[in-house]
């Protein structure tokens, strides 16, 4: 040990002794002295600031940007333990304080115990610029290249301009007036009723204006109605908008004049029809409609006036008899991952926007791609009148080949004609999934086989995969999860308990044969952004169909740290065992209970071998060395990975100058790295949150 390091160690030991004897004042993060305080009564403790030697900044590749502060330091004796970390900000400087506590007057072994903690910074909403982090007097800095504010999701406005029909016979030469259906009396005559009746067509080619603020407003954008009379404005930020139509626009005159507005009601008798519409974030406001009644029937011929925005066919086009509109994927959104052969139920929600009623003689039929079903035609379960919606479901199974698979479907009328979506009613809707293979390094891959489990919550049986917005709870597979301490490209199960302060979710998997040397392994915690997450994870098991028994229980909060689960299953070797993965809410913030099981698997320690280069421990070692040498991560090559190995002390069997290491068994990996002519040996724990390295050879 160098004389300088020996002096440092003596100073630390002297400070520790003085602190115990005299209640020495330590400096606070803002420069004011912070007393070591004692709690009166039995079991008194003294509280102070931890010794922090190094502060590193971790910026996650996401938007909004997430920033973690990695603080490395040591505890001066065997009695001192870490307590809470506080956080505040003054201007461009974050002030973090890491506190410790120890029993007052205790006689403790004067050994130095290293620690490393990760603290997420509250950087949401910050402006672009340089920021400083002060952790117990140690400084680090980072730069936000752009404002860290997520724009509110855009919304849309859409509607229909339709021909509100009313025809009147007679009225001359003493012949009484005879109105058609859809007319209402007005003084000495009739006009259209302002209602969108089933047989009334849309008006194509009409120019619609969009203005900012309440009506009247200046036009900021325009669009032209499609052949069916529909129009939309997309990508709109929250606010109030004015939608209006001027019949005297050059494009509209040959289509609309002569005539009058019948809807909205306040447009009757006005030259311009206007509607003020408030729009919230991500809102899809529909049915902002305008009704027009021609003065004469039939509709007069249109005089085409070529304009840049006019549609090729500005004349009114009758609504098709059979026509569908896609509303939602009720289950299995596009690109949902499944394991080969997994069964699932795909459900589409469609609306009848034609003029004919769909009966049980209509069918849902497969038209192209991969059907992923043992049938290619299904009769409708009930009658769907114009304007009504129906959920159409097909029981499917994932193909055995890895990759993306798509099957397209349409509807077939009672006279055998196919129809579907789009302006021409000839578009298909589809099921699009991704098939991922189970990891062949594992004896059992719980992530890849998650839909083979029976998932339930306090609300009952759950579909797999689930709808993450379902109040009953849900389970979903994330192939690129963003966790509270990092993002990764290996799979994680996202568990959402039912929406209750006592909500829970559990999945029981089919029984598997446990072998000698098998371990259950996973990482558990809360997903990124789940502030307030407080969840208890449990792993239970059932042997040969017997009663459930507890294998492990862990409580996790959103604190920037995750837990490594590694359980020896040797005592179950030779048995057929069903495992149950669960998550339970601990507080009222059930909306934040976004729990994950990252890479849950059964792995044989005798045959598993070293982890791949993508393993978190390997990536952490590469990143730590790259940062220390100030070189790109891609310049570091992995030569070999040995493990899991068991390190004999808290320093992972690395000699650290001036640091006393406690005798504690720590499982991890020995990772050999290469940069140019340099060979580097890194020792890590299982998840890579602790890394020590040195030059080798």
């Amino acid at each position: 040990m160098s004389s300088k390091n020996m002096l440092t160690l003596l100073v630390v030991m002297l400070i520790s002794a003085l602190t115990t004897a005299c209640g020495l004042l330590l400096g606070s993060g803002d420069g004011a002295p912070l007393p070591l305080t004692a709690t009166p009564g039995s079991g008194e403790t003294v509280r102070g600031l931890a010794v922090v030697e190094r502060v590193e900044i971790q910026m996650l590749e996401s938007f909004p940007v997430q920033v973690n502060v990695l603080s490395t330091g040591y505890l001066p004796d065997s009695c001192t333990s870490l307590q809470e970390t506080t956080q505040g900000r003054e201007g461009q400087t974050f002030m973090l304080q890491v506190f410790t506590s120890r029993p007052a007057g205790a006689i403790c072994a004067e050994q130095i115990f290293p620690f490393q903690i990760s603290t997420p910074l509250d950087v949401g909403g910050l402006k672009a610029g340089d920021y400083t982090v002060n952790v117990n007097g140690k400084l680090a800095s980072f730069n936000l290249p752009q404002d860290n504010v997520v724009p509110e999701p855009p919304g849309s406005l859409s509607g229909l301009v339709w021909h509100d029909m009313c025809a009147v016979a007679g009225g001359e030469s003493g012949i009484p007036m005879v109105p058609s259906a859809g007319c209402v009396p007005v003084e000495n005559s009739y006009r259209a009723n302002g209602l969108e009746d089933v047989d009334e067509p849309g008006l194509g080619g009409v120019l619609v204006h969009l203005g900012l603020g309440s009506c009247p407003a200046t036009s900021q954008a325009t669009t032209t109605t499609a052949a069916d009379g529909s129009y939309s404005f997309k990508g709109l930020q929250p606010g109030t908008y004015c939608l209006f139509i001027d019949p005297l626009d050059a494009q509209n005159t040959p289509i609309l004049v002569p005539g009058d507005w019948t809807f909205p009601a306040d447009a009757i008798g006005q030259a311009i029809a206007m509607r003020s519409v408030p729009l919230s974030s991500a809102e899809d406001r529909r049915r902002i409609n305008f009704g027009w009644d021609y003065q004469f029937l039939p509709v007069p011929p249109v005089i085409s006036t070529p304009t840049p925005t006019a549609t090729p066919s500005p004349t009114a086009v009758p609504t098709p008899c059979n026509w569908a509109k896609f509303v939602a994927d009720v289950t299995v959104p596009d690109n949902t991952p499944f394991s080969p052969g997994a069964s699932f139920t795909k459900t589409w929600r469609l609306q009848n926007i034609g003029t004919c009623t769909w009966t049980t003689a209509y069918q849902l039929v497969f038209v192209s791609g991969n059907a992923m079903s043992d049938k290619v035609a299904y009769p409708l379960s009930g009658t769907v009148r114009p304007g009504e919606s129906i959920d159409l479901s097909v029981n499917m199974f994932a193909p055995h080949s890895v990759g993306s698979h798509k099957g397209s479907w349409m509807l077939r009328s009672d006279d055998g004609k196919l129809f579907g979506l789009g302006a021409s009613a000839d578009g298909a809707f589809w099921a699009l999934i991704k098939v991922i293979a189970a990891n062949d390094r594992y004896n059992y891959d719980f992530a890849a086989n998650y839909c083979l489990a029976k998932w339930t919550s306090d609300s009952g049986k759950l579909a797999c995969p689930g709808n993450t917005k379902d109040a009953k709870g849900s389970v979903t597979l994330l192939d690129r999860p963003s966790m509270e301490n990092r993002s990764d490209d290996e799979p994680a199960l996202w568990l959402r308990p039912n929406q209750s302060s006592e909500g829970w979710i559990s999945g029981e998997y089919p029984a598997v044969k446990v072998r000698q040397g098998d371990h259950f392994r996973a990482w558990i915690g809360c997903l990124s952004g789940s502030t307030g997450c407080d969840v208890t994870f449990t792993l239970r098991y059932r042997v040969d169909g017997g009663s459930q028994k507890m294998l492990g229980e862990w409580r996790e909060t959103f604190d920037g740290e995750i837990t490594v689960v590694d359980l020896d299953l040797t005592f179950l070797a030779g048995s057929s065992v069903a495992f149950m993965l669960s998550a339970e809410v601990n507080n009222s913030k059930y909306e934040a209970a976004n729990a994950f099981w990252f890479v849950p698997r059964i792995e044989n320690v005798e045959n598993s071998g070293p982890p791949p280069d993508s393993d978190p421990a390997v990536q952490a070692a590469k990143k730590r060395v790259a940062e220390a040498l100030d070189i790109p991560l891609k310049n570091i090559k992995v030569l070999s990975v040995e493990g899991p190995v068991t390190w004999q002390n808290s320093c992972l069997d690395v000699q650290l100058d001036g640091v006393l290491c406690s005798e504690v068994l720590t499982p991890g990996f020995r990772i050999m790295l290469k940069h140019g002519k340099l060979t580097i040996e890194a020792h890590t724990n299982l998840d890579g949150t602790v890394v020590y390295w040195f030059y080798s050879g």
Side-chain angles (χ1 to χ4, degrees):
M1 182 182 299
S2 67
S3 59
K4 180 179 178 181
N5 290 328
M6 178 64 76
L7 178 59
T8 301
L9 180 58
L10 290 174
V11 170
V12 171
M13 295 175 65
L14 178 59
I15 291 174
S16 177
L18 289 174
T19 299
T20 303
C22 307
L24 182 66
L25 299 182
L26 295 181
S28 69
D30 56 7
L34 177 75
L36 290 172
T37 59
T39 304
S42 176
E44 292 181 335
T45 60
V46 290
R47 185 169 177 267
L49 289 176
V51 178
V52 175
E53 295 182 306
R54 187 173 70 252
V55 177
E56 301 175 56
I57 303 297
Q58 296 178 329
M59 299 185 70
L60 304 186
E61 296 179 0
S62 62
F63 190 81
V65 175
Q66 300 174 60
V67 179
N68 291 333
V69 178
L70 196 65
S71 304
T72 304
Y74 62 85
L75 303 175
D77 54 53
S78 60
C79 297
T80 302
S81 61
L82 290 174
Q83 296 300 306
E84 78 276 10
T85 298
T86 63
Q87 179 180 156
R89 180 170 62 88
E90 298 178 2
Q92 303 290 103
T93 301
F94 285 87
M95 308 296 295
L96 274 65
Q97 290 183 309
V98 182
F99 289 94
T100 63
S101 69
R102 67 188 304 278
I107 298 176
C108 311
E110 297 293 342
Q111 294 181 347
I112 292 178
F113 296 87
F115 69 81
Q116 188 177 76
I117 58 174
S118 178
T119 306
L121 284 185
D122 184 10
V123 296
L126 289 185
K127 296 291 186 181
D130 295 319
Y131 292 85
T132 301
V133 180
N134 184 332
V135 185
N136 291 13
K138 287 292 182 180
L139 303 179
S141 61
F142 64 93
N143 173 266
L144 291 177
Q146 59 180 331
D147 292 348
N148 200 33
V149 180
V150 178
E152 293 184 291
S156 64
L157 301 173
S158 61
L160 178 75
V161 181
W162 90 95
H163 180 193
D164 196 5
M165 300 174 66
C166 172
V168 180
E172 297 179 357
S173 303
I175 301 175
M177 290 188 292
V178 180
S180 66
C183 294
V184 293
V186 178
E187 296 179 352
N188 297 322
S189 184
Y190 294 87
R191 65 167 173 82
N193 58 13
L195 301 176
E196 185 187 347
D197 297 321
V198 171
D199 57 348
E200 293 178 339
L203 298 176
V206 176
L207 186 68
V208 183
H209 294 266
L210 176 73
L212 300 179
S214 299
C215 297
T218 303
S219 178
Q220 301 293 325
T222 61
T223 189
T224 299
T225 59
D228 64 347
S230 62
Y231 72 91
S232 65
F233 292 92
K234 299 180 180 180
L236 303 178
Q237 291 302 307
T240 299
Y241 294 87
C242 177
L243 292 164
F244 62 96
I245 302 175
D246 185 352
L248 299 183
D249 278 337
Q251 180 175 328
N252 292 339
T253 299
I255 302 173
L256 299 178
V257 178
D260 196 6
W261 296 109
T262 62
F263 188 85
D266 55 9
I268 297 174
Q270 302 297 316
I272 300 176
M274 297 181 289
R275 297 190 65 177
S276 296
V277 184
L279 183 69
S280 302
S281 176
E283 185 179 11
D284 182 12
R285 287 290 300 271
R286 304 181 183 184
R287 298 193 61 79
I288 307 169
N289 297 346
F290 296 87
W292 181 261
D293 182 12
Y294 287 99
Q295 183 176 349
F296 306 106
L297 280 178
V299 179
V302 172
I303 303 173
S304 299
T305 304
T307 65
T309 57
T311 59
S313 177
T315 55
V317 177
T319 302
C321 166
N322 289 312
W323 194 10
K325 179 180 180 180
F326 173 80
V327 178
D329 285 313
V330 180
T331 65
V332 192
D334 286 354
N335 295 309
T336 298
F338 289 99
S339 58
S343 59
F344 61 95
T345 300
K346 172 68 182 184
T347 301
W348 301 274
R349 180 167 296 158
L350 301 181
Q351 181 183 17
N352 182 351
I353 59 172
T355 60
C356 295
T357 296
W358 305 345
T359 68
T360 53
Y362 283 54
Q363 292 180 311
L364 169 67
V365 296
F366 169 72
V367 291
S368 66
N370 191 328
M372 296 179 281
S373 170
D374 55 3
K375 294 173 61 178
V376 294
Y378 298 84
L380 269 58
S381 59
T383 298
V384 188
R385 297 176 180 83
E388 295 180 341
S389 297
I390 186 173
D391 287 356
L392 303 175
S393 299
V394 176
N395 294 325
M396 297 184 174
F397 48 85
H400 287 275
S401 58
V402 174
S404 295
H405 298 273
K406 180 179 180 180
S408 296
W409 298 71
M410 295 181 70
L411 296 173
R412 186 162 59 198
S413 62
D414 53 2
D415 60 359
K417 295 180 180 179
L418 291 176
F419 68 96
L421 316 178
S424 302
D426 58 358
F429 42 96
W430 55 79
L432 175 61
I433 68 168
K434 290 193 299 185
V435 175
I436 59 173
N439 193 315
D440 57 12
R441 294 178 56 241
Y442 308 148
N443 288 354
Y444 192 78
D445 189 335
F446 289 89
N449 295 297
Y450 77 115
C451 276
L452 297 182
K454 296 178 180 178
W455 293 95
T456 56
S457 74
D458 200 30
S459 300
K461 185 178 179 181
L462 301 177
C464 183
N467 182 339
T468 58
K469 298 180 181 179
D470 193 340
K472 296 180 180 179
S474 63
V475 58
T476 310
L477 182 64
L478 304 175
D479 54 356
R480 293 183 177 273
S482 179
M483 299 168 282
E484 60 184 296
N485 67 337
R486 69 172 187 271
S487 298
D488 212 293
D489 59 359
E490 292 196 80
L493 292 180
W494 176 10
L495 271 58
R496 298 207 74 218
N498 58 291
Q499 293 186 6
S500 167
S501 59
E502 298 180 351
W504 56 268
I505 181 173
S506 181
E508 181 170 350
Y509 282 77
V512 295
K513 196 80 168 181
V514 176
R515 302 182 300 179
Q516 190 72 28
D518 278 354
H519 280 225
F520 177 90
R521 288 176 169 171
W523 288 264
I524 56 176
C526 300
L527 290 177
S528 173
S530 302
T531 304
C533 175
D534 188 347
V535 179
T536 294
F537 292 80
T538 58
L539 177 63
R540 295 181 173 87
Y541 69 97
R542 189 196 311 272
V543 177
D544 297 326
S547 60
Q548 290 187 20
K549 296 182 180 180
M550 180 70 73
L551 191 58
E553 183 178 67
W554 308 265
R555 185 168 182 172
E556 283 292 312
T557 60
F558 187 77
D559 56 4
E561 299 180 6
I562 62 177
T563 295
V564 179
V565 177
D566 189 348
L567 300 175
D568 189 348
L569 303 178
T570 299
F571 73 100
L572 295 171
S575 300
S576 181
V577 182
F579 292 90
M580 286 133 271
L581 277 60
S582 306
E584 181 178 354
V585 180
N586 289 324
N587 58 18
S588 60
K589 294 186 177 181
Y590 51 79
E591 69 279 358
N594 295 305
F596 70 80
W597 289 83
F598 177 64
V599 197
R601 75 272 190 196
I602 295 177
E603 194 170 10
N604 195 282
V605 297
E606 299 176 359
N607 304 317
S608 61
D613 287 0
S614 60
D615 188 89
V618 180
Q619 289 298 306
K622 291 174 63 178
K623 183 177 181 180
R624 184 65 55 79
V625 173
E627 290 174 346
L629 300 181
D630 194 22
I631 58 176
L633 188 65
K634 64 181 180 180
N635 290 359
I636 297 180
K637 180 181 179 182
V638 179
L639 296 178
S640 64
V641 182
E642 178 186 350
V645 298
T646 301
W647 307 117
Q648 301 302 306
N649 56 43
S650 59
C651 299
L652 309 185
D653 292 2
V654 177
Q655 292 184 356
L656 302 175
D657 195 16
V659 177
L660 297 177
C661 307
S662 59
E663 294 184 2
V664 55
L665 299 180
T666 306
F669 300 102
R670 176 182 285 107
I671 303 167
M672 302 302 296
L673 306 172
K674 187 80 172 178
H675 170 59
K677 296 181 179 181
L678 296 176
T679 301
I680 298 162
E681 182 171 337
H683 294 187
T684 77
N685 60 355
L686 285 175
D687 66 352
T689 53
V690 179
V691 178
Y692 296 116
W693 64 274
F694 53 90
Y695 295 113
S696 177

